[in-house]
Amino acid sequence: MLERYIEKNIFRQVYLCQQLYQKKEIDLQTMAKRLKVCTITINNDLLVLNELFNQEITTFKKNRNICKVSFDPTYPLLELTQRIYRRSDFLRVLNDFLIGNTHWSEIAEKEFLSTSKIYQIRANIFSFSEELGCLQQNHSFAFSEKDLRNLFLAIARYTGDRSAIPFNKVIAAAAEKLIDYVEEHFFARYYPTNERELIILGIQLSNQRARHFPILFSEKEKASARQTPLFKLLREGIKNLDATICANEDELFYIYSLFNARNYLCNNLELLQKDFEVVYQNHIQRYPAIEELLQELRFSLSISPENELLLKKAFLPFIRSTWADMQLFQPDLIYLLDKEQQTLYQTIQTILEKWSAACQTTIHWNTNLIRKMTLILDLLLRNTFDEKIELYIVAPSDFNFLYYRKQLESLLDDHFVISNMIYNTLNEVVDDVFFCSKRVIVCDMALYQTDLGSENTLIFPVSLKTIDETCNEINQIVRPNEKGLKE
């Protein structure tokens, strides 16, 4: 929602900066289509970026179709995009206005804006507030405390301007310790620097506003939070802190919302999977309506069963951020879609809207996060990760087994998993009763028997001399040769 009110040139330049920083190279036509402008406009934006980041850009090459840029890695992406966002008059004025300065002439003087410009921004802020449902009939504003805090955090993340959130050294240190406590006790997860900073800012905002501007959560929202391990950890962690960072129970739920909405990582795959299982259970499995939404996405989009786990992993952080209707202003990178992906986005948005109406929810969806999930689901639809094909070796001796295995490992595609079992007769491994998936048997000529294969079991007779040729034949099961494709 907020992105639609930011100046279009600022929005474009942030997106181009993100794409160049991550991919090093962009296609101008593709960028023009995604941003719905002509390539001349893209070229002008690129020249602005090159001038703005004259010291940070080490290589800038551009022709008619392609632009290649290398950034000095000592400058993080967030620092670069904040410099662009700080040039947004709308964000700066909105921040001043939310702090409490409603004297437009004073804001215009402070921000060096003309009278016509400040009244144009004023009209945009009125439209923004009306869309949010905060504009009163007398043109006064009634932002909810949830929305107000989330807007302060979003502006601070985008622009780096923290004037609305005074720094408190003691509170910041205590917030760091609380994050450390969660990381230590929750499957060794860790929050990247950018995510930690946002949590710390939110806790300082809580400490600043708790007494005079209380934040409220419904009993239903509180009940859903209380049953999560994360909430219990936060409650215990806060008790162990030297400083008081939580004024009351509602502020504890607000701190929970800060952690709950942020992304985290883990260096241990097994622990990451356990983390996922716990969070999935507490945010999806406990709620039949949310489980139904997930299955509706899977069914309507025809997501392969093989990709269901990846679907869940994409859906979980998206739905997790909707707790207490806190998703709308969650900051993130900008995600845009190609024409084909737009169709998928519309389908997903329709599913979400129908689900909201049926469940009578009050969730305000973040369209940027919907686009983010759309990109992931589009990837799953375009790529079916085939199940690994099991391969078994039947050999008369250990030498033959090891020789065959060595050649198979060297020459086969990565679609196959080679069993460590040594079989000395074909009958031991040929029974399909115990094998439901597709499999391949490489059988030494001396042990080979005809007519023992089946639909799921392919048997290749092999010798020490023909193993290389047999590997090529096996590869054709999942990768037809070029001649076959041409025919």
Side-chain angles (χ1 to χ4, degrees):
M1 177 184 177
L2 189 59
E3 68 185 37
R4 288 189 284 104
Y5 292 89
I6 297 172
E7 294 85 346
K8 289 182 172 57
N9 64 316
I10 300 296
F11 181 85
R12 291 195 308 268
Q13 289 161 20
V14 169
Y15 181 72
L16 291 172
C17 180
Q18 290 172 351
Q19 293 292 299
L20 286 167
Y21 194 95
Q22 294 173 329
K23 300 178 180 178
K24 316 299 182 187
E25 178 181 316
I26 59 171
D27 180 87
L28 272 59
Q29 282 284 355
T30 300
M31 294 297 105
K33 290 177 181 178
R34 287 184 190 173
L35 291 162
K36 300 179 181 178
V37 292
C38 64
T39 54
I40 295 175
T41 301
I42 298 297
N43 272 300
N44 291 335
D45 287 329
L46 291 171
L47 293 176
V48 170
L49 292 177
N50 190 31
E51 182 178 353
L52 182 62
F53 301 125
N54 185 47
Q55 293 184 340
E56 293 80 6
I57 291 177
T58 57
T59 305
F60 184 91
K61 296 180 180 179
K62 182 172 68 67
N63 58 32
R64 185 176 179 181
N65 302 313
I66 301 294
C67 181
K68 298 180 180 181
V69 173
S70 296
F71 288 91
D72 185 336
T74 59
Y75 295 92
L77 175 59
L78 180 60
E79 180 182 324
L80 302 180
T81 57
Q82 284 179 341
R83 286 175 57 183
I84 303 173
Y85 274 125
R86 279 198 290 271
R87 300 168 67 225
S88 167
D89 294 332
F90 176 80
L91 286 177
R92 295 199 314 275
V93 172
L94 178 61
N95 194 52
D96 285 331
F97 180 77
L98 294 176
I99 290 172
N101 187 358
T102 57
H103 299 285
W104 300 105
S105 58
E106 291 182 8
I107 296 177
E109 185 177 350
K110 174 179 177 291
E111 300 294 343
F112 302 101
L113 298 173
S114 66
T115 302
S116 60
K117 183 66 174 180
I118 195 65
Y119 278 102
Q120 177 189 344
I121 296 174
R122 176 178 178 267
N124 288 339
I125 290 178
F126 279 4
S127 298
F128 172 76
S129 304
E130 185 176 15
E131 184 178 351
L132 193 58
C134 300
L135 186 63
Q136 308 296 300
Q137 289 184 347
N138 61 355
H139 289 286
S140 62
F141 301 87
F143 289 98
S144 72
E145 185 63 16
K146 286 180 184 178
D147 287 338
L148 198 56
R149 293 190 189 189
N150 286 336
L151 279 169
F152 281 140
L153 288 177
I155 294 172
R157 164 52 62 87
Y158 290 138
T159 67
D161 181 359
R162 302 176 180 180
S163 57
I165 314 172
F167 180 76
N168 183 310
K169 185 177 180 180
V170 174
I171 298 299
E176 286 272 14
K177 289 182 179 179
L178 182 59
I179 297 172
D180 292 341
Y181 183 86
V182 171
E183 290 179 336
E184 181 182 351
H185 292 84
F186 208 137
F187 298 115
R189 69 165 60 173
Y190 71 91
Y191 293 87
T193 301
N194 292 344
E195 305 292 356
R196 291 177 74 96
E197 289 178 353
L198 206 58
I199 294 172
I200 293 168
L201 280 175
I203 291 175
Q204 294 197 92
L205 190 60
S206 168
N207 182 71
Q208 173 201 358
R209 298 182 63 86
R211 292 184 180 180
H212 303 292
F213 305 100
I215 190 168
L216 302 175
F217 296 92
S218 70
E219 289 304 318
K220 182 178 179 181
E221 290 165 347
K222 291 179 181 180
S224 67
R226 284 193 186 102
Q227 49 83 30
T228 65
L230 176 59
F231 181 83
K232 297 170 184 176
L233 266 181
L234 290 170
R235 185 170 53 197
E236 292 302 314
I238 287 173
K239 289 179 182 178
N240 297 330
L241 294 175
D242 298 329
T244 302
I245 65 171
C246 187
N248 53 54
E249 187 184 44
D250 280 314
E251 293 301 328
L252 175 56
F253 285 103
Y254 175 65
I255 292 174
Y256 166 78
S257 76
L258 296 172
F259 280 83
N260 183 60
R262 303 323 310 159
N263 297 315
Y264 54 86
L265 303 171
C266 180
N267 289 327
N268 185 301
L269 184 59
E270 182 180 351
L271 293 178
L272 184 63
Q273 182 60 26
K274 289 180 179 179
D275 188 311
F276 165 76
E277 290 169 359
V278 168
V279 178
Y280 182 85
Q281 178 184 12
N282 284 282
H283 286 274
I284 297 179
Q285 285 184 325
R286 286 181 182 270
Y287 304 98
I290 296 178
E291 187 99 64
E292 288 176 10
L293 173 58
L294 176 61
Q295 294 308 317
E296 178 62 29
L297 286 169
R298 184 187 65 79
F299 176 77
S300 298
L301 304 180
S302 300
I303 301 292
S304 168
E306 296 157 4
N307 287 337
E308 186 156 1
L309 179 60
L310 292 173
L311 167 65
K312 291 177 179 178
K313 286 183 178 288
F315 180 72
L316 180 56
F318 173 80
I319 204 66
R320 182 163 46 86
S321 66
T322 64
W323 180 81
D325 194 20
M326 302 282 270
Q327 187 190 82
L328 184 59
F329 298 118
Q330 293 295 333
D332 208 322
L333 298 175
I334 297 173
Y335 297 94
L336 297 180
L337 308 174
D338 295 333
K339 185 177 180 181
E340 297 80 7
Q341 295 163 341
Q342 284 284 355
T343 302
L344 178 60
Y345 169 85
Q346 294 295 336
T347 301
I348 293 172
Q349 190 174 47
T350 300
I351 292 171
L352 293 175
E353 289 173 353
K354 287 183 178 180
W355 179 83
S356 294
C359 297
Q360 298 182 334
T361 67
T362 57
I363 295 174
H364 291 81
W365 303 105
N366 183 316
T367 54
N368 187 51
L369 295 185
I370 298 176
R371 292 197 298 268
K372 180 180 182 179
M373 185 168 66
T374 299
L375 287 168
I376 298 173
L377 298 186
D378 178 65
L379 183 66
L380 298 187
L381 290 172
R382 292 173 185 266
N383 296 280
T384 299
F385 302 98
D386 295 328
E387 183 180 358
K388 295 284 187 178
I389 299 176
E390 297 172 303
L391 190 144
Y392 298 85
I393 302 172
V394 179
S397 67
D398 293 350
F399 175 85
N400 287 50
F401 174 87
L402 292 173
Y403 184 85
Y404 291 148
R405 182 177 180 84
K406 181 177 180 296
Q407 295 302 101
L408 291 166
E409 288 177 338
S410 299
L411 300 174
L412 286 186
D413 291 337
D414 58 1
H415 300 282
F416 299 88
V417 177
I418 303 174
S419 172
N420 289 321
M421 292 294 294
I422 302 176
Y423 294 94
N424 299 124
T425 67
L426 190 55
N427 289 330
E428 290 180 79
V429 70
V430 81
D431 192 349
D432 276 341
V433 174
F434 300 104
F435 300 91
C436 299
S437 58
K438 193 171 185 178
R439 66 201 176 103
V440 171
I441 300 174
V442 171
C443 182
D444 189 280
M445 284 283 197
L447 304 173
Y448 179 69
Q449 301 176 54
T450 59
D451 302 322
L452 285 182
S454 68
E455 183 178 352
N456 279 337
T457 301
L458 299 178
I459 304 175
F460 289 83
V462 67
S463 69
L464 298 177
K465 293 182 179 180
T466 63
I467 181 62
D468 291 1
E469 182 182 342
T470 302
C471 286
N472 290 329
E473 291 182 47
I474 295 173
N475 279 329
Q476 303 315 308
I477 296 171
V478 292
R479 181 175 52 82
N481 59 32
E482 292 183 7
K483 181 180 179 182
L485 286 173
K486 290 176 181 178
E487 293 175 351

